Amino acid sequence: MQHNIFFSIIIPTFNRASFLHKTIQSVLSQNYENFELIIVDDGSTDNTDEIIEKLQNSQIKYFKIENSERGFARNYGVLRAKGDYITFLDSDDVLLPNHFSNAYESILKYHKPPFLHLGYEVVNNNDKLLFKVSKLKNDNINILIRGNPLSCNGCFMRADVTQNFLFNEDRNLAGSEDWELWLRVLSHYSIKTDNRISSRMYNHESRSVVQSLGQEKNLVLRKELTIQYAFRDEFVQQNFGKYHKIIDAFGESYVALHLAILGEKSRSLFYLLKFMKKYPLAIFSKRLYVIIKCILLNFFITHK
């Protein structure tokens, strides 16, 4: 088979030397070889550069910049990418060997779609499966109404699309910049899906998205900025305008969930009630019961 589609995969990284080697090796071990790996070191102070230098692989392009957050780092890589399709990988996650080959097959199947998403799984440090995302449907942009089920690892954007759609670089948005981008992109283009699992996200305490959630006000601000920025796009207004209240409500549930994970039980409950008030049908949503489970779990842990 002639692999005539060239992929660019971009890894933004900041002080992730302990994870990075495993992440890079998962890319270099792909059974599809027509790709470049762009690593954007977002001002690391550990030995990230030493790890990459030892690899001495011609497919790797390494750039070190001043710390500017993931949105800027990803955009920095996009603007230097040469691929027909561009995708992303966090520096503490891994690809399975079939990632690019699955993408290639689906890109041909759907006649080079503007946006493709592959299935993924979330595991703990011991590789125990926590959950997986493998039931998304083609052309269903409404999946973004109740939060962001899309993984940067699984998203492939055609190069011409990335020229018009970059990540928002507001540092206050960091951690939600992908949801904001997908709202804009999928307001302009359809989504095609391949639900075969081909990447793995690790849920661990040192994950940057968890570390950054220590302040309640930061969570709330991210939720508000995501909606504000996304709805500046007229196509977002047209496609998601009637769902604005539901999107806002599920933003409250996002705050509640992560406060519950952090053990902030009373504050989590506060935002859970806001979620239910804004969206009475929340009683039928899986998110509600996940939040309650986290609150109860932390309660029993602290009262042992």
Side-chain angles (χ1 to χ4, degrees):
M1 181 185 297
Q2 183 180 0
H3 291 165
N4 57 357
I5 294 177
F6 186 57
F7 293 116
S8 295
I9 182 164
I10 298 166
I11 299 179
T13 186
F14 175 71
N15 287 347
R16 280 287 180 267
S18 59
F19 296 95
L20 190 57
H21 187 270
K22 181 178 181 180
T23 299
I24 294 174
Q25 286 298 336
S26 77
V27 178
L28 299 180
S29 299
Q30 291 296 297
N31 53 32
Y32 182 104
E33 299 178 348
N34 195 20
F35 67 87
E36 64 177 356
L37 170 55
I38 299 174
I39 300 172
V40 183
D41 185 343
D42 194 24
S44 295
T45 56
D46 60 9
N47 62 328
T48 292
D49 51 354
E50 297 176 11
I51 289 176
I52 296 169
E53 185 178 351
K54 288 179 181 178
L55 290 170
Q56 294 184 340
N57 189 294
S58 61
Q59 288 178 290
I60 297 176
K61 297 178 181 178
Y62 174 65
F63 303 94
K64 186 161 187 175
I65 62 175
E66 293 184 4
N67 181 260
S68 305
E69 267 298 347
R70 281 177 302 181
F72 181 92
R74 287 181 181 139
N75 290 343
Y76 188 95
V78 166
L79 296 174
R80 287 154 180 80
K82 300 185 182 302
D84 301 303
Y85 277 82
I86 296 173
T87 186
F88 307 92
L89 180 63
D90 286 345
S91 56
D92 43 7
D93 296 328
V94 299
L95 303 182
L96 302 182
N98 60 327
H99 191 67
F100 287 150
S101 58
N102 283 9
Y104 177 75
E105 292 170 5
S106 290
I107 287 169
L108 294 185
K109 174 183 176 181
Y110 294 120
H111 309 290
K112 298 185 177 180
F115 191 96
L116 172 72
H117 186 270
L118 307 185
Y120 67 95
E121 62 186 15
V122 179
V123 301
N124 64 16
N125 286 335
N126 298 317
D127 286 332
K128 180 181 179 181
L129 179 66
L130 301 177
F131 66 90
K132 59 185 177 180
V133 176
S134 58
K135 296 181 180 181
L136 300 183
K137 297 179 180 180
N138 286 339
D139 306 317
N140 180 22
I141 67 171
N142 289 341
I143 55 175
L144 295 175
I145 292 171
R146 293 170 173 80
N148 177 26
L150 305 183
S151 161
C152 282
N153 305 349
C155 291
F156 285 75
M157 286 194 290
R158 208 169 56 204
D160 62 295
V161 176
T162 63
Q163 293 174 11
N164 297 313
F165 293 92
L166 293 172
F167 287 95
N168 190 303
E169 296 178 1
D170 187 341
R171 296 183 73 111
N172 291 317
L173 189 61
S176 297
E177 73 284 343
D178 51 345
W179 186 22
E180 192 274 337
L181 176 60
W182 308 146
L183 282 167
R184 286 187 283 122
V185 173
L186 294 187
S187 290
H188 291 254
Y189 299 100
S190 63
I191 178 174
K192 298 302 181 185
T193 62
D194 178 341
N195 286 310
R196 293 175 291 178
I197 302 296
S198 64
S199 66
R200 182 173 293 158
M201 293 176 60
Y202 280 87
N203 187 21
H204 53 81
E205 291 182 355
S206 61
R207 192 174 184 91
S208 58
V209 71
V210 175
Q211 288 184 323
S212 66
L213 299 182
Q215 298 292 331
E216 177 183 331
K217 64 179 183 180
N218 290 344
L219 276 168
V220 175
L221 179 60
R222 279 171 47 192
K223 184 267 291 188
E224 293 176 349
L225 287 175
T226 297
I227 296 173
Q228 289 175 18
Y229 281 127
F231 275 85
R232 290 178 181 178
D233 186 301
E234 63 176 311
F235 285 87
V236 174
Q237 296 173 26
Q238 292 173 15
N239 286 280
F240 293 106
K242 62 183 178 181
Y243 302 113
H244 188 284
K245 291 183 179 179
I246 300 177
I247 294 172
D248 180 62
F250 273 85
E252 303 288 3
S253 76
Y254 179 85
V255 177
L257 175 61
H258 287 86
L259 288 175
I261 292 172
L262 291 166
E264 300 288 341
K265 298 182 290 295
S266 62
R267 297 309 296 167
S268 174
L269 184 60
F270 173 78
Y271 289 98
L272 178 62
L273 294 174
K274 289 187 70 174
F275 171 41
M276 297 174 67
K277 183 178 180 179
K278 290 183 176 182
Y279 183 62
L281 292 177
I283 59 173
F284 300 111
S285 74
K286 183 178 180 181
R287 176 69 64 87
L288 174 72
Y289 297 101
V290 171
I291 296 169
I292 292 174
K293 180 180 178 180
C294 287
I295 293 174
L296 292 175
L297 180 61
N298 277 306
F299 176 82
F300 288 122
I301 291 175
T302 56
H303 287 80
K304 275 189 175 181

mmCIF file of all heavy atoms in Angstrom, residues 146 250 272 275-276 279-290 292:
data_model
loop_
_atom_site.group_PDB
_atom_site.id
_atom_site.type_symbol
_atom_site.label_atom_id
_atom_site.label_comp_id
_atom_site.label_asym_id
_atom_site.label_seq_id
_atom_site.Cartn_x
_atom_site.Cartn_y
_atom_site.Cartn_z
ATOM 1 N N ARG A 146 -22.856 19.145 25.335
ATOM 2 C CA ARG A 146 -22.768 18.684 26.722
ATOM 3 C C ARG A 146 -21.318 18.480 27.168
ATOM 4 O O ARG A 146 -21.016 17.572 27.914
ATOM 5 C CB ARG A 146 -23.584 17.408 26.896
ATOM 6 C CG ARG A 146 -25.078 17.638 26.734
ATOM 7 C CD ARG A 146 -25.863 16.344 26.660
ATOM 8 N NE ARG A 146 -27.287 16.594 26.660
ATOM 9 C CZ ARG A 146 -27.999 16.974 25.602
ATOM 10 N NH1 ARG A 146 -27.381 17.126 24.430
ATOM 11 N NH2 ARG A 146 -29.291 17.188 25.689
ATOM 12 N N PHE A 250 -23.836 22.837 31.183
ATOM 13 C CA PHE A 250 -22.845 21.768 31.262
ATOM 14 C C PHE A 250 -21.461 22.321 31.606
ATOM 15 O O PHE A 250 -20.601 21.592 32.104
ATOM 16 C CB PHE A 250 -22.820 20.953 29.971
ATOM 17 C CG PHE A 250 -23.822 19.838 29.978
ATOM 18 C CD1 PHE A 250 -25.138 20.060 29.598
ATOM 19 C CD2 PHE A 250 -23.469 18.570 30.410
ATOM 20 C CE1 PHE A 250 -26.078 19.036 29.627
ATOM 21 C CE2 PHE A 250 -24.389 17.541 30.453
ATOM 22 C CZ PHE A 250 -25.711 17.767 30.056
ATOM 23 N N LEU A 272 -23.080 21.932 41.208
ATOM 24 C CA LEU A 272 -23.988 20.874 40.774
ATOM 25 C C LEU A 272 -25.435 21.374 40.806
ATOM 26 O O LEU A 272 -26.216 21.119 39.875
ATOM 27 C CB LEU A 272 -23.830 19.646 41.677
ATOM 28 C CG LEU A 272 -24.747 18.465 41.372
ATOM 29 C CD1 LEU A 272 -24.486 17.934 39.975
ATOM 30 C CD2 LEU A 272 -24.558 17.358 42.404
ATOM 31 N N PHE A 275 -26.022 23.656 37.950
ATOM 32 C CA PHE A 275 -26.202 22.841 36.754
ATOM 33 C C PHE A 275 -27.654 22.376 36.634
ATOM 34 O O PHE A 275 -28.295 22.525 35.583
ATOM 35 C CB PHE A 275 -25.244 21.642 36.831
ATOM 36 C CG PHE A 275 -25.435 20.583 35.776
ATOM 37 C CD1 PHE A 275 -25.692 20.916 34.458
ATOM 38 C CD2 PHE A 275 -25.333 19.237 36.120
ATOM 39 C CE1 PHE A 275 -25.843 19.930 33.478
ATOM 40 C CE2 PHE A 275 -25.486 18.240 35.151
ATOM 41 C CZ PHE A 275 -25.746 18.598 33.837
ATOM 42 N N MET A 276 -28.197 21.859 37.731
ATOM 43 C CA MET A 276 -29.555 21.330 37.723
ATOM 44 C C MET A 276 -30.586 22.441 37.562
ATOM 45 O O MET A 276 -31.627 22.252 36.916
ATOM 46 C CB MET A 276 -29.800 20.540 39.002
ATOM 47 C CG MET A 276 -28.905 19.317 39.146
ATOM 48 S SD MET A 276 -29.085 18.491 40.740
ATOM 49 C CE MET A 276 -30.762 17.888 40.606
ATOM 50 N N TYR A 279 -30.452 23.481 33.921
ATOM 51 C CA TYR A 279 -30.831 22.410 33.001
ATOM 52 C C TYR A 279 -31.550 21.314 33.789
ATOM 53 O O TYR A 279 -30.940 20.335 34.214
ATOM 54 C CB TYR A 279 -29.583 21.853 32.312
ATOM 55 C CG TYR A 279 -29.858 20.788 31.267
ATOM 56 C CD1 TYR A 279 -30.627 21.083 30.136
ATOM 57 C CD2 TYR A 279 -29.341 19.511 31.392
ATOM 58 C CE1 TYR A 279 -30.876 20.125 29.168
ATOM 59 C CE2 TYR A 279 -29.586 18.535 30.421
ATOM 60 C CZ TYR A 279 -30.350 18.852 29.319
ATOM 61 O OH TYR A 279 -30.595 17.899 28.360
ATOM 62 N N PRO A 280 -32.854 21.471 34.009
ATOM 63 C CA PRO A 280 -33.609 20.501 34.815
ATOM 64 C C PRO A 280 -33.482 19.060 34.330
ATOM 65 O O PRO A 280 -33.575 18.126 35.136
ATOM 66 C CB PRO A 280 -35.054 21.009 34.690
ATOM 67 C CG PRO A 280 -34.912 22.474 34.439
ATOM 68 C CD PRO A 280 -33.685 22.604 33.574
ATOM 69 N N LEU A 281 -33.258 18.872 33.022
ATOM 70 C CA LEU A 281 -33.105 17.513 32.512
ATOM 71 C C LEU A 281 -31.780 16.875 32.934
ATOM 72 O O LEU A 281 -31.484 15.740 32.562
ATOM 73 C CB LEU A 281 -33.214 17.518 30.981
ATOM 74 C CG LEU A 281 -34.598 17.867 30.416
ATOM 75 C CD1 LEU A 281 -34.555 17.897 28.893
ATOM 76 C CD2 LEU A 281 -35.654 16.867 30.882
ATOM 77 N N ALA A 282 -30.997 17.624 33.717
ATOM 78 C CA ALA A 282 -29.732 17.094 34.232
ATOM 79 C C ALA A 282 -29.928 15.809 35.020
ATOM 80 O O ALA A 282 -29.026 14.977 35.120
ATOM 81 C CB ALA A 282 -29.038 18.136 35.101
ATOM 82 N N ILE A 283 -31.124 15.639 35.589
ATOM 83 C CA ILE A 283 -31.384 14.427 36.388
ATOM 84 C C ILE A 283 -31.285 13.165 35.530
ATOM 85 O O ILE A 283 -31.145 12.062 36.075
ATOM 86 C CB ILE A 283 -32.751 14.487 37.079
ATOM 87 C CG1 ILE A 283 -33.871 14.637 36.048
ATOM 88 C CG2 ILE A 283 -32.784 15.615 38.098
ATOM 89 C CD1 ILE A 283 -35.258 14.535 36.648
ATOM 90 N N PHE A 284 -31.341 13.319 34.219
ATOM 91 C CA PHE A 284 -31.236 12.160 33.325
ATOM 92 C C PHE A 284 -29.838 12.022 32.711
ATOM 93 O O PHE A 284 -29.606 11.112 31.908
ATOM 94 C CB PHE A 284 -32.262 12.278 32.197
ATOM 95 C CG PHE A 284 -33.683 12.346 32.666
ATOM 96 C CD1 PHE A 284 -34.405 13.521 32.537
ATOM 97 C CD2 PHE A 284 -34.288 11.237 33.246
ATOM 98 C CE1 PHE A 284 -35.725 13.597 32.969
ATOM 99 C CE2 PHE A 284 -35.603 11.303 33.680
ATOM 100 C CZ PHE A 284 -36.320 12.483 33.544
ATOM 101 N N SER A 285 -28.930 12.939 33.067
ATOM 102 C CA SER A 285 -27.612 12.933 32.446
ATOM 103 C C SER A 285 -26.614 12.096 33.242
ATOM 104 O O SER A 285 -26.654 12.054 34.472
ATOM 105 C CB SER A 285 -27.076 14.364 32.300
ATOM 106 O OG SER A 285 -26.672 14.870 33.541
ATOM 107 N N LYS A 286 -25.739 11.440 32.512
ATOM 108 C CA LYS A 286 -24.691 10.636 33.140
ATOM 109 C C LYS A 286 -23.760 11.513 33.951
ATOM 110 O O LYS A 286 -23.254 11.100 35.002
ATOM 111 C CB LYS A 286 -23.908 9.880 32.066
ATOM 112 C CG LYS A 286 -22.841 8.958 32.599
ATOM 113 C CD LYS A 286 -22.150 8.214 31.470
ATOM 114 C CE LYS A 286 -21.064 7.291 32.007
ATOM 115 N NZ LYS A 286 -20.368 6.564 30.892
ATOM 116 N N ARG A 287 -23.526 12.754 33.492
ATOM 117 C CA ARG A 287 -22.616 13.667 34.186
ATOM 118 C C ARG A 287 -23.048 13.885 35.641
ATOM 119 O O ARG A 287 -22.210 13.944 36.539
ATOM 120 C CB ARG A 287 -22.566 14.999 33.437
ATOM 121 C CG ARG A 287 -21.730 16.096 34.085
ATOM 122 C CD ARG A 287 -20.241 15.813 34.049
ATOM 123 N NE ARG A 287 -19.712 15.757 32.719
ATOM 124 C CZ ARG A 287 -19.274 16.831 32.046
ATOM 125 N NH1 ARG A 287 -19.325 18.028 32.587
ATOM 126 N NH2 ARG A 287 -18.768 16.690 30.836
ATOM 127 N N LEU A 288 -24.361 14.018 35.872
ATOM 128 C CA LEU A 288 -24.873 14.247 37.221
ATOM 129 C C LEU A 288 -24.433 13.134 38.169
ATOM 130 O O LEU A 288 -23.944 13.393 39.274
ATOM 131 C CB LEU A 288 -26.399 14.338 37.184
ATOM 132 C CG LEU A 288 -27.086 14.438 38.554
ATOM 133 C CD1 LEU A 288 -26.858 15.807 39.170
ATOM 134 C CD2 LEU A 288 -28.580 14.151 38.432
ATOM 135 N N TYR A 289 -24.578 11.906 37.723
ATOM 136 C CA TYR A 289 -24.281 10.775 38.598
ATOM 137 C C TYR A 289 -22.780 10.567 38.777
ATOM 138 O O TYR A 289 -22.332 10.084 39.824
ATOM 139 C CB TYR A 289 -24.962 9.520 38.050
ATOM 140 C CG TYR A 289 -26.466 9.676 38.045
ATOM 141 C CD1 TYR A 289 -27.149 9.993 36.880
ATOM 142 C CD2 TYR A 289 -27.192 9.575 39.228
ATOM 143 C CE1 TYR A 289 -28.522 10.187 36.890
ATOM 144 C CE2 TYR A 289 -28.563 9.768 39.244
ATOM 145 C CZ TYR A 289 -29.222 10.082 38.077
ATOM 146 O OH TYR A 289 -30.574 10.285 38.089
ATOM 147 N N VAL A 290 -22.000 10.953 37.788
ATOM 148 C CA VAL A 290 -20.544 10.905 37.931
ATOM 149 C C VAL A 290 -20.096 11.902 39.009
ATOM 150 O O VAL A 290 -19.238 11.585 39.851
ATOM 151 C CB VAL A 290 -19.846 11.216 36.591
ATOM 152 C CG1 VAL A 290 -18.345 11.382 36.788
ATOM 153 C CG2 VAL A 290 -20.127 10.112 35.584
ATOM 154 N N ILE A 292 -21.932 13.136 41.518
ATOM 155 C CA ILE A 292 -22.401 12.649 42.829
ATOM 156 C C ILE A 292 -21.503 11.521 43.329
ATOM 157 O O ILE A 292 -21.139 11.468 44.514
ATOM 158 C CB ILE A 292 -23.861 12.175 42.727
ATOM 159 C CG1 ILE A 292 -24.781 13.367 42.467
ATOM 160 C CG2 ILE A 292 -24.283 11.461 44.010
ATOM 161 C CD1 ILE A 292 -26.219 12.994 42.209
#
